[in-house]
Amino acid sequence: MITLTINEKDITLEKPVTVLEAARKAGIKIPTLCHHEALKPFGGCRLCIVEVERMPRLQTACTLLAADGMVVKTESDTISKVRRGILEFLLINHPLDCPYCDKAGECELQDLVNKYGPTTGRFKEEKRKVPESHKDQIFTRNMERCVVCTRCVRMCSDVQGASAISIIGRGSHSKMEPFSTESFKCEYCGNCLTVCPVGAILSRLYIHSFRPWQIDKEVETLCSYCGVGCSLVAQVRDDSIKRVIPKIGLGLNKGLLCSRGRFGYEYINSAERLKMPLVRKNGELKESTWSEALSIVAEKMLEIKNTHGGPAIAGLASPRCSNEDNYVFQKFMRLACGTNNIDSISRTGFAAAQKYFEDLLGQGITANIIEGLRNSETILVLGGDPSAINPVLGLAIREAARRGAKITVLGNAKGLERFKTFQVVPSVFKEADVLEALLTEIYNTRGLRNENPALDRGIRTLCEKAAAKSDMQEVRDLRNILLGSASTAVVLGMDLLQRSDGHKALFAVAGLIYLLEARLYLLSEKPNEQGVIDTGCAPDLLPGGRPLGIHEFRRKFEAAWDGVIPEKEGLTLLEIINDASEKRIKALYIMGENPVFNLPDKPFVRGALKSLDFIVVQDIFLTETAELADVVLPALGWTERTGTYTNLERRIQLQHKAVETPSGMEDWKIISEISSKMGYRMNYSDSKDVMAEIAEVSPLYRDLTYQEISKGNCLWPYNGEPLRGEISEAPAAVNITKEYKDDFYLAVEKPLFHSGTLSRRAPALLKIYPEPALKVGMETAKKLELKDGDRVQFFTQYGSKEAFVSTDESIKDNRVYYSNNFKNNGVLHLMSFNMDNVTKAPGLEGCEVRIKKI
Amino acid sequence: MFNDSVLNEIEGIKAKYPDRRSALLPSLYIAQREFGWLSHEAMQYVAKTLNLPEAEVRGTSSFYAMFKHQPIGRHLIQLCTNVSCMILGAERLADMLVQKYGLQPNSTSPDGRFSLVIMECIGACGTAPAMLVNTDFHDNLTEKRIEEILEGYK
Ligand code: SF4
Ligand code: SF4
Ligand code: SF4
Ligand code: FES
Ligand code: FES
């Protein structure tokens, strides 16, 4: 216990903190400039000086640890005089162009000078001149306004880990600069923008377009891009989003954002937004009215249900939509349409992986909080680059690295290049073999855990096969690292399972987690992949993860819903597509998804969709899939509606409405109207009403209210009990032997700056990453004599494409990457797929690629 | 690019410190020795060799006056004009360098032979005026002695 006096107020502290923190806790303000809550104490600007009894000189409160018996004064004539002096020095070279500066009104320097003076300067010499830099597409840098507090640099290197900028020069010539304009290793997180106290770093998205005090309202909401679920603040003026800023301390991201969250919001104002329902007439999509469109959908769906039966109907839910939307969607499918054929694009990754792991290890096995990564001793990263897929989760891994954790990487992970301590790069498509070898090594050293008989049996059988023995030194080294670690986390990206025998890799990972007692994190590319599962948008699960196959559960839901749930489990995503192509499925209802673009083998998927009798698509844009639909219904987008999202840690959070839009309807509302027309009545007054029902029927979200969620920290299971699955036997592995002879393999790039449907309409993200390039590793570049900017044509057996080459040192194997995020410019259509019969995820096939310089 | 012996030298430096950032200043010094000055490419190369961020390398190197960020002549003259040297005629010596060799302070002679930097006290006040040519130290300078000395640097 420490007791000190600040401005004659006695303060008692539980644990030692700085004088600045102690004062702030007691409500005493000390001015600061170089200090920032998100950064470590620096002690550079000296504005926070205080007088401390029995200490000879003025002390900087931001670096001084409070000690027992200290007597501190934060304001006095001397202190004011010194502060004024410091500010006068800072203004020597400052252009004093506040009337023109965007920061005016929220500038820390302006506020400080306002409070402490000076009113005039005594400096007569020329001020230094540094022209404002507009070279970057996103940031304007005005280094005449820079006060060299180094907050941006510390943010960029100590927190973001990008180290893209630094202070150049010395003394009055110092300024913040990137290494050079050509080589700006910026991740465009904009976190430097958050911390710059003055108008030295500005965002070109809104420069000179409004003054900070002209904002009508601020709405705390969630990012709509990925499964991390970062909190952010949308600032609104005249019913349009002016900018997105984080709030220090708010949400699990604690004020950090990534490029997509911060700069990707403009798609919401895109001119391409759907405004009116579209109905196909004489082969063409024509604008229509809501009442006509909804009636057509209801009639047609009923007709198909009555002629072909419910199972001829299928629905795709959406990890981009809220829990409320998805809950209502599955209810509509099951009760109004009479089908369990409900799945989502998540089956290509997250949902497939989660089901596999939960079947083996029990429900909730992936419910681990991101914060926990920071304190792990060892982190094993595989199947993707966390810093690109879930950037803010990636920051936790980088932070762990800084704290001394061992970051081990299997395969390529660009964002961890400077943070990894150990890397194994398996040959292409041999990932599962390496994982099995690793599991065997660990089994041989540590043995079984004897807690999960099915898994124990599976591991023993696998590991005792001689074939799985490894002669790789790297694998043994990795084993030693993992065995020596007291707390291990495994971060899994979905690339690993997109093989027709992807389940083998998953089994090995499950074995590793089990034997090492490690925590598992599944990277999640879309904001509500977990919510889709939790609300029952799966062919085999009712809300709350309750298996459909268990009679008891089905009866409970039937009673609650007052309807009949079909008994038979439904089809998964690829099975639905397949059955559509074979005309067993007649109607497909798609909410917020674009399977034509987001699944491999576009001709097949397109063909399957075209052979349907009826397609309905709900979306905010006319996607490649919507173009095929019979009816297209415009939904509402981010900040236009309220709803809950469940992130990859299974944290339930609220996305708030911030603006009004004249067109479009909430997804759940569209569906409930159609459902009512089809004879299964739904009348929810708002999304809160839907949540009230979820909280009543879903054992996972029991008694959950918006009010509770707003407080934060609603983690799964909320008030309910998770359901531990009964595992009798690990699913048998399917052996697929295939020799890959080609030298190079095409893979899907998961870039930091894009995510697909939304990001490709976000102008800022398109400026940062305007067009995809073929990313090749250094070895590949050498073999093919390629250099940056070369134009090539690449061929798979399904087609070819031209692209520019971009070399990338982080690609260590002979994969070449191309993004599937841009309009009319994807890569999945150059591949085919073969479903993994265990996980039901698509195994990407036909990735062998030839590359020709042109 | 560094040759193998230079790379070994840098490895040796890296081995001395627990943190590779500590090897940055000596490595920059070596790069300057090898390439004459620190171009962007040279800094990038040092960054890569030490696996440090490029921006950090540039930030660090730009702080130090001893690191040159522009090409310099084959030989670097660092002439002191601080108090003792000034009293004993250093400014005349600087003028003479301009007239005789076309060497303006902070620039390079037209033939690329010399670059001149005016220094603050280099700790030779007792035997002022003084200068450094590359790493060689020369004191008790006169115009004539400078000419003789510079003859040794072609
Ligand atoms: S945007 Fe992010 S990565 Fe880029 S300079 Fe700022 S902090 Fe660094
Ligand atoms: S640019 Fe802003 S944050 Fe960076 S050093 Fe200058 S004033 Fe500080
Ligand atoms: S990490 Fe994900 S949720 Fe967070 S800002 Fe980036 S895209 Fe949005
Ligand atoms: S805030 Fe304490 S020294 Fe800058
Ligand atoms: S003044 Fe020139 S060496 Fe000291």
Side-chain angles (χ1 to χ4, degrees):
Chain A
M1 202 72 102
I2 299 164
T3 313
L4 77 164
T5 317
I6 304 182
N7 295 354
E8 282 158 22
K9 193 166 170 182
D10 289 335
I11 296 167
T12 318
L13 301 169
E14 297 287 332
K15 54 177 194 217
V17 294
T18 61
V19 171
L20 177 67
E21 277 175 79
R24 288 200 172 161
K25 272 196 196 120
I28 299 167
K29 278 210 181 96
I30 300 178
T32 53
L33 190 57
C34 68
H35 180 82
H36 193 277
E37 292 95 311
L39 304 170
K40 287 202 208 79
F42 183 60
C45 73
R46 323 308 282 180
L47 274 165
C48 63
I49 40 161
V50 292
E51 282 176 23
V52 182
E53 261 178 32
R54 291 189 313 245
M55 286 184 114
R57 264 165 277 117
L58 294 173
Q59 301 289 324
T60 47
C62 69
T63 54
L64 182 68
L65 273 187
D68 205 30
M70 245 182 198
V71 180
V72 181
K73 236 158 83 188
T74 70
E75 299 283 345
S76 73
D77 287 347
T78 325
I79 294 174
S80 290
K81 207 168 142 207
V82 175
R83 284 185 186 146
R84 185 160 59 244
I86 296 168
L87 289 164
E88 188 178 350
F89 271 122
L90 285 177
L91 294 181
I92 281 179
N93 271 313
H94 190 283
L96 304 174
D97 57 353
C98 306
Y100 174 75
C101 176
D102 257 21
K103 195 78 175 184
E106 55 179 11
C107 173
E108 292 179 33
L109 182 65
Q110 203 179 49
D111 293 348
L112 284 167
V113 176
N114 186 357
K115 176 143 187 217
Y116 292 99
T119 46
T120 47
R122 289 167 289 177
F123 190 74
K124 295 279 187 303
E125 284 79 356
E126 277 273 311
K127 289 179 189 264
R128 73 168 172 172
K129 288 270 174 294
V130 191
E132 194 167 73
S133 165
H134 302 282
K135 282 191 191 130
D136 191 70
Q137 293 281 356
I138 301 298
F139 300 116
T140 289
R141 268 182 298 116
N142 184 315
M143 285 304 123
E144 289 177 355
R145 296 187 192 130
C146 173
V147 292
V148 205
C149 63
T150 75
R151 272 159 50 161
C152 56
V153 174
R154 284 178 287 142
M155 174 53 89
C156 189
S157 50
D158 302 351
V159 180
Q160 180 65 21
S163 299
I165 49 180
S166 69
I167 301 293
I168 305 296
R170 186 170 41 163
S172 63
H173 296 288
S174 15
K175 58 184 180 211
M176 178 279 279
E177 260 187 22
F179 178 73
S180 75
T181 36
E182 298 83 57
S183 169
F184 189 16
K185 305 236 156 109
C186 179
E187 299 183 335
Y188 290 99
C189 61
N191 291 329
C192 51
L193 191 67
T194 309
V195 295
C196 181
V198 297
I201 310 176
L202 297 165
S203 158
R204 292 181 68 178
L205 273 71
Y206 50 80
I207 196 165
H208 302 325
S209 70
F210 67 96
R211 304 303 250 165
W213 57 85
Q214 291 172 329
I215 290 298
D216 301 336
K217 64 172 173 185
E218 287 195 337
V219 180
E220 283 180 11
T221 184
L222 287 183
C223 170
S224 64
Y225 272 103
C226 88
V228 174
C230 294
S231 295
L232 43 78
V233 176
Q235 292 191 323
V236 183
R237 184 179 176 208
D238 296 337
D239 238 1
S240 93
I241 307 284
K242 278 289 159 197
R243 67 173 170 178
V244 161
I245 52 171
K247 193 156 140 190
I248 299 301
L250 180 71
L252 66 110
N253 50 317
K254 301 208 164 70
L256 302 173
L257 287 177
C258 81
S259 59
R260 302 193 292 254
R262 186 187 302 259
F263 298 124
Y265 59 90
E266 293 166 300
Y267 71 85
I268 210 73
N269 297 323
S270 163
E272 289 177 57
R273 284 286 301 273
L274 286 171
K275 298 200 176 56
M276 291 299 293
L278 306 175
V279 171
R280 190 169 297 278
K281 285 181 186 155
N282 303 325
E284 253 183 85
L285 282 174
K286 290 264 159 57
E287 284 205 352
S288 164
T289 60
W290 275 105
S291 73
E292 186 194 32
L294 296 179
S295 303
I296 293 178
V297 175
E299 275 162 32
K300 198 72 194 167
M301 295 295 272
L302 258 187
E303 184 194 315
I304 291 173
K305 181 184 170 190
N306 293 338
T307 358
H308 304 283
I313 299 176
L316 297 183
S318 173
R320 259 164 45 202
C321 294
S322 68
N323 287 326
E324 290 77 356
D325 297 330
N326 283 301
Y327 172 80
V328 171
F329 185 83
Q330 58 86 32
K331 203 176 157 192
F332 163 68
M333 278 290 138
R334 295 198 155 108
L335 300 146
C337 302
T339 179
N340 281 319
N341 297 332
I342 310 159
D343 208 4
S344 74
I345 197 78
S346 274
R347 191 65 52 192
T348 62
F350 191 88
Q354 185 167 95
K355 179 169 165 48
Y356 190 87
F357 288 121
E358 290 200 337
D359 283 353
L360 277 179
L361 294 155
Q363 214 181 17
I365 184 73
T366 64
N368 293 305
I369 61 168
I370 294 172
E371 191 61 27
L373 281 172
R374 291 180 208 276
N375 304 318
S376 304
E377 228 176 81
T378 305
I379 302 178
L380 175 62
V381 174
L382 58 171
D385 176 8
S387 321
I389 298 166
N390 292 131
V392 168
L393 178 145
L395 295 187
I397 301 180
R398 290 175 175 181
E399 158 112 21
R402 272 190 294 269
R403 291 189 185 179
K406 298 203 172 65
I407 311 296
T408 57
V409 179
L410 189 89
N412 302 320
K414 186 180 174 69
L416 295 175
E417 274 296 277
R418 269 190 304 105
F419 299 88
K420 64 180 186 218
T421 37
F422 192 80
Q423 185 174 28
V424 182
V425 184
S427 325
V428 177
F429 304 141
K430 296 285 183 222
E431 289 82 359
D433 297 357
V434 172
L435 283 167
E436 286 180 353
L438 177 64
L439 181 64
T440 308
E441 288 288 342
I442 287 174
Y443 163 80
N444 288 342
T445 326
R446 193 175 267 185
L448 293 171
R449 251 175 79 196
N450 296 320
E451 278 175 20
N452 179 332
L455 197 51
D456 280 324
R457 265 197 307 278
I459 295 174
R460 188 184 303 114
T461 322
L462 174 75
C463 295
E464 288 185 352
K465 274 192 308 187
K469 294 259 157 55
S470 117
D471 49 2
M472 280 171 76
Q473 183 57 41
E474 290 170 300
V475 171
R476 281 193 294 272
D477 290 344
L478 184 52
R479 170 201 65 190
N480 292 343
I481 296 175
L482 291 170
L483 286 178
S485 157
S487 91
T488 306
V490 175
V491 178
L492 179 75
M494 299 305 138
D495 289 355
L496 200 66
L497 62 118
Q498 288 172 352
R499 304 292 312 146
S500 37
D501 57 354
H503 58 279
K504 283 182 149 182
L506 292 191
F507 182 81
V509 172
L512 287 173
I513 293 164
Y514 171 66
L515 293 187
L516 296 168
E517 299 183 51
R519 281 160 296 135
L520 176 63
Y521 295 80
L522 297 184
L523 297 180
S524 163
E525 291 166 28
K526 297 276 144 64
N528 204 20
E529 297 200 275
Q530 186 62 49
V532 165
I533 303 172
D534 289 353
T535 52
C537 288
D540 56 339
L541 295 179
L542 291 163
R546 281 2 193 199
L548 177 86
I550 299 180
H551 184 61
E552 276 293 284
F553 289 133
R554 211 173 51 244
R555 239 200 2 234
K556 264 196 193 152
F557 278 97
E558 284 182 336
W561 287 342
D562 193 16
V564 184
I565 303 170
E567 226 170 282
K568 211 175 136 243
E569 282 186 7
L571 302 173
T572 57
L573 173 71
L574 298 178
E575 293 165 333
I576 291 173
I577 304 286
N578 190 56
D579 276 25
S581 79
E582 289 170 10
K583 295 191 184 290
R584 278 192 294 274
I585 298 271
K586 306 282 182 193
L588 184 57
Y589 197 119
I590 303 174
M591 174 172 79
E593 191 43 68
N594 186 4
V596 173
F597 194 76
N598 293 332
L599 283 178
D601 203 348
K602 188 166 168 181
F604 173 71
V605 178
R606 244 183 105 87
L609 262 56
K610 284 192 123 166
S611 48
L612 287 161
D613 291 349
F614 192 59
I615 312 178
V616 186
V617 173
Q618 261 171 235
D619 211 311
I620 60 171
F621 292 111
L622 191 68
T623 60
E624 288 87 344
T625 305
E627 280 167 13
L628 302 180
D630 294 288
V631 180
V632 182
L633 302 166
L636 291 180
W638 174 77
T639 64
E640 293 168 350
R641 48 162 170 65
T642 296
T644 61
Y645 281 74
T646 306
N647 80 348
L648 65 88
E649 328 165 271
R650 307 196 177 193
R651 187 189 298 267
I652 306 144
Q653 309 190 96
L654 252 178
Q655 201 176 76
H656 282 284
K657 177 170 170 165
V659 295
E660 292 292 340
T661 22
S663 47
M665 228 197 270
E666 284 109 320
D667 285 289
W668 62 263
K669 193 158 187 192
I670 304 177
I671 295 160
S672 58
E673 296 213 355
I674 295 171
S675 184
S676 299
K677 280 185 200 287
M678 285 174 69
Y680 181 75
R681 281 207 65 74
M682 290 191 189
N683 42 22
Y684 303 106
S685 50
D686 55 16
S687 63
K688 213 176 183 166
D689 215 17
V690 181
M691 182 40 88
E693 184 176 311
I694 300 177
E696 216 177 283
V697 303
S698 161
L700 286 183
Y701 293 180
R702 186 170 297 152
D703 300 335
L704 192 63
T705 60
Y706 277 10
Q707 209 180 353
E708 271 306 302
I709 301 174
S710 308
K711 291 189 202 149
N713 286 326
C714 284
L715 279 148
W716 180 97
Y718 185 79
N719 271 343
E721 298 113 47
L723 180 85
R724 289 279 157 192
E726 285 283 310
I727 310 131
S728 51
E729 206 57 64
V734 180
N735 276 315
I736 294 167
T737 38
K738 202 165 192 178
E739 271 315 308
Y740 293 93
K741 292 196 195 65
D742 289 58
D743 278 323
F744 306 107
Y745 302 93
L746 191 55
V748 182
E749 185 200 359
K750 306 269 165 70
L752 169 58
F753 305 120
H754 281 284
S755 73
T757 305
L758 306 181
S759 77
R760 67 163 88 152
R761 272 119 178 160
L765 298 180
L766 285 171
K767 279 181 194 148
I768 298 173
Y769 188 172
E771 71 168 318
L774 189 70
K775 301 260 160 84
V776 307
M778 296 330 247
E779 281 297 308
T780 306
K782 211 160 116 196
K783 264 193 233 161
L784 295 171
E785 297 178 359
L786 296 174
K787 55 179 190 326
D788 284 317
D790 279 353
R791 197 136 179 96
V792 290
Q793 188 168 20
F794 58 99
F795 303 79
T796 68
Q797 62 187 106
Y798 299 95
S800 75
K801 196 167 190 59
E802 282 184 21
F804 285 109
V805 167
S806 162
T807 57
D808 186 333
E809 289 180 13
S810 72
I811 303 171
K812 315 273 191 222
D813 52 20
N814 37 5
R815 281 187 170 88
V816 299
Y817 290 81
Y818 196 82
S819 136
N820 198 62
N821 301 115
F822 294 86
K823 202 173 176 183
N824 300 327
N825 198 354
V827 70
L828 277 170
H829 67 278
L830 295 179
M831 304 173 187
S832 68
F833 66 89
N834 204 348
M835 189 173 78
D836 178 333
N837 282 321
V838 178
T839 66
K840 313 284 185 190
L844 297 178
E845 294 291 340
C847 314
E848 298 79 359
V849 67
R850 277 184 307 120
I851 302 164
K852 194 176 85 188
K853 209 155 139 180
I854 48 176
Chain B
M1 294 291 131
F2 294 145
N3 62 30
D4 283 350
S5 88
V6 178
L7 282 177
N8 279 336
E9 195 179 345
I10 291 185
E11 282 308 315
I13 296 168
K14 273 207 269 188
K16 276 198 239 160
Y17 306 102
D19 185 343
R20 54 182 191 260
R21 288 161 80 180
S22 315
L24 179 54
L25 284 178
S27 304
L28 282 168
Y29 183 75
I30 292 172
Q32 176 154 302
R33 186 190 73 201
E34 295 296 311
F35 306 126
W37 63 292
L38 294 175
S39 61
H40 261 61
E41 291 71 33
M43 287 188 282
Q44 257 168 331
Y45 186 57
V46 170
K48 209 171 145 193
T49 315
L50 299 178
N51 194 14
L52 287 175
E54 292 170 354
E56 189 174 323
V57 171
R58 176 162 177 239
T60 307
S61 84
S62 69
F63 183 85
Y64 295 95
M66 295 80 103
F67 291 130
K68 307 296 167 208
H69 295 92
Q70 259 131 39
I72 58 164
R74 290 194 294 286
H75 305 289
L76 175 66
I77 303 172
Q78 306 190 65
L79 180 72
C80 172
T81 58
N82 211 315
V83 184
S84 309
C85 293
M86 183 191 72
I87 293 171
L88 289 166
E91 289 183 334
R92 251 193 356 261
L93 302 177
D95 290 343
M96 170 269 200
L97 288 174
V98 177
Q99 275 147 28
K100 220 151 169 157
Y101 297 89
L103 242 188
Q104 297 284 352
N106 294 319
S107 72
T108 301
S109 59
D111 58 1
R113 185 168 156 209
F114 296 115
S115 289
L116 174 63
V117 170
I118 301 295
M119 294 291 278
E120 301 308 318
C121 180
I122 54 174
C125 308
T127 51
M131 70 173 179
L132 285 163
V133 180
N134 300 336
T135 50
D136 309 332
F137 177 72
H138 303 280
D139 54 2
N140 288 320
L141 297 175
T142 60
E143 286 159 299
K144 188 153 167 290
R145 251 187 70 67
I146 288 192
E147 274 184 59
E148 284 163 15
I149 292 167
L150 293 187
E151 272 311 293
Y153 299 91
K154 283 298 176 187

